[in-house]
Amino acid sequence: MNSKTAKLISPERVSELLDCYGADPEAWPDDERATALALIQNSTQLKNLQTEARQLDRYLTAGDIMQRAGKPVDMKLVSRITANLPAQDKPGQNLMRNNRAALKRSLFDFSSWTGMIAASIAVFAISVSIMELQSTSGARQQSDVSQAELDYWMWQQVTGEVESDDEEPLTMMVLFEPD
Amino acid sequence: MLAVAQGDQAAFTEIVTRHLTPVVNFAWRYVGRRSDAEDVAQEAFIRLWRHAPDWEDQGFSVRSWIYRIAYNLCIDELRKRKPVTPVEDEVSLASAEQPDEDLYRDQRQQQVAAALNELPERQRTALVLCVYQGLSNRDAATVLDVSIEALESLLSRARRMLRNKMTEEAQS
């Protein structure tokens, strides 16, 4: 680690490093190691934290059950793996397969379906609202037209511009009856 | 790995030889039986071979990539079935033929293994990768598909829980 790549860190960060990675500087991130070691050297509190972390490291190391399980490489297994290798993918083939799998997963994923259902309900509700608005507006327009026709008919009756229509509805006639 | 990506079987054999034992041991911690762990490792290396032409696009180190494949296979395996034999039992059985002088060490290992098994799965994996498998924080984060900050959070919580456990054991 040279000083050019060393990162400036605070004592709190050193405490975090001990908390996450333990007491062994080899386990710390490369770019923080040198500064962390310098800070520990100048701080009793950090030294104590490192001692505490070392106790846990020992506990973990002593408890590694694989110390007994570890053995030299099993060459029979190596041969088994390398004996019948399948054909390699073409470049990009695996990525495409992953993308297809992701798409398939998303189609069968409950959460995405929930989202789609919610979106469908929202779209349906908006459509119904728009249709409702249109029908109300249409009715109003129709009602406006009827009013216009009525006004025109009244105008015709008053001015006598148009020959009377015997088949006018009675209701229209009633409108002109004196009180 | 570039040679493997171009179909070089000798280069692939070298990678298998270098990483096989740690990958088997890693898988063994999850699946509980050595034979199953070997099957997981075999499948992981075959997938590494098959997908090798895409290795550069993934942007992972070979080590983190093989662990990532093995980890996902272990999780799939555990979803399919419940672990039958806790790994510590099987390792003890395997070593029973060669009497262990240090009974205390055995007990300690059993205790720590039990404490590790009590950790949430992601915390345990983070710890196993960094402490026992010796992966860098970047590689371990890649295996778990999390940021380095998230990995540190997992490690910190795991160590805190274990510290409490260690204190309890010391007091009892």
Side-chain angles (χ1 to χ4, degrees):
Chain A
M1 164 72 38
N2 61 48
S3 58
K4 281 180 186 172
T5 56
K7 200 162 134 186
L8 284 176
I9 56 171
S10 65
E12 288 74 29
R13 176 60 185 157
V14 180
S15 169
E16 280 174 16
L17 291 177
L18 293 166
D19 201 31
C20 303
Y21 301 107
D24 182 6
E26 285 302 309
W28 304 342
D30 289 341
D31 56 347
E32 293 175 293
R33 190 179 301 124
T35 320
L37 281 170
L39 285 168
I40 287 172
Q41 253 185 342
N42 295 315
S43 163
T44 315
Q45 195 188 351
L46 290 177
K47 275 180 190 163
N48 290 339
L49 285 176
Q50 191 179 27
T51 307
E52 278 178 30
R54 194 169 288 124
Q55 284 175 345
L56 183 58
D57 289 349
R58 285 203 196 105
Y59 174 80
L60 284 168
T61 311
D64 185 12
I65 50 171
M66 288 302 166
Q67 284 173 353
R68 285 177 294 171
K71 59 177 189 179
V73 181
D74 184 347
M75 290 314 289
K76 277 185 190 169
L77 183 55
V78 174
S79 304
R80 204 171 88 194
I81 293 167
T82 53
N84 297 305
L85 289 173
Q88 286 186 317
D89 287 347
K90 289 175 187 144
Q93 192 179 338
N94 182 44
L95 296 176
M96 280 169 63
R97 190 185 298 125
N98 286 346
N99 289 343
R100 276 201 301 272
L103 180 65
K104 203 173 168 184
R105 267 199 307 277
S106 71
L107 286 174
F108 289 99
D109 182 21
F110 175 74
S111 57
S112 71
W113 274 106
T114 314
M116 282 171 68
I117 290 167
S120 305
I121 291 170
V123 168
F124 178 74
I126 291 167
S127 306
V128 167
S129 305
I130 291 170
M131 284 166 65
E132 189 69 27
L133 275 171
Q134 280 177 342
S135 75
T136 311
S137 160
R140 194 177 298 127
Q141 276 177 1
Q142 198 173 358
S143 140
D144 290 345
V145 168
S146 300
Q147 188 63 45
E149 282 174 350
L150 182 62
D151 292 343
Y152 182 56
W153 180 82
M154 285 168 67
W155 171 254
Q156 285 174 331
Q157 295 302 316
V158 171
T159 58
E161 280 183 8
V162 179
E163 55 282 337
S164 64
D165 187 353
D166 290 337
E167 292 182 2
E168 284 299 328
L170 183 61
T171 50
M172 294 295 184
M173 298 301 289
V174 169
L175 286 171
F176 289 92
E177 278 184 3
D179 290 335
Chain B
M1 189 61 195
L2 284 172
V4 176
Q6 288 164 3
D8 185 337
Q9 293 199 18
F12 178 67
T13 304
E14 202 181 313
I15 284 181
V16 175
T17 309
R18 190 184 307 157
H19 295 287
L20 183 62
T21 302
V23 171
V24 169
N25 287 348
F26 173 71
W28 197 355
R29 292 177 194 277
Y30 284 91
V31 294
R33 276 192 298 248
R34 185 168 176 99
S35 58
D36 289 345
E38 288 179 355
D39 289 345
V40 164
Q42 180 173 354
E43 179 59 27
F45 280 105
I46 287 173
R47 286 191 189 189
L48 183 83
W49 165 260
R50 266 180 51 202
H51 308 324
D54 285 331
W55 170 67
E56 273 191 301
D57 297 331
Q58 305 275 351
F60 305 150
S61 69
V62 179
R63 198 180 187 201
S64 61
W65 200 19
I66 188 67
Y67 272 102
R68 188 177 165 124
I69 298 170
Y71 171 62
N72 288 333
L73 287 169
C74 288
I75 297 298
D76 288 347
E77 179 68 23
L78 291 180
R79 279 188 190 138
K80 277 189 243 166
R81 63 165 173 87
K82 288 181 179 174
V84 183
T85 314
V87 64
E88 63 271 26
D89 293 351
E90 198 179 71
V91 174
S92 297
L93 286 171
S95 61
E97 293 162 11
Q98 298 170 335
D100 196 337
E101 307 86 32
D102 196 346
L103 185 65
Y104 174 75
R105 195 187 67 175
D106 274 5
Q107 286 173 342
R108 172 52 63 90
Q109 284 175 339
Q110 300 284 348
Q111 282 173 345
V112 177
L116 277 170
N117 282 338
E118 281 177 25
L119 291 175
E121 188 269 314
R122 308 272 290 172
Q123 289 182 24
R124 184 160 59 106
T125 304
L127 203 71
V128 165
L129 289 170
C130 290
V131 175
Y132 295 134
Q133 304 298 137
L135 264 67
S136 68
N137 58 350
R138 192 180 299 273
D139 282 351
T142 301
V143 174
L144 284 164
D145 198 16
V146 295
S147 65
I148 289 177
E149 289 76 18
L151 174 85
E152 290 186 347
S153 169
L154 288 169
L155 286 171
S156 175
R157 279 181 283 156
R159 289 180 69 94
R160 203 172 305 140
M161 278 181 76
L162 286 173
R163 200 179 301 127
N164 293 339
K165 201 83 188 166
M166 187 178 73
T167 313
E168 279 172 25
E169 281 171 15
Q171 283 169 352
S172 65

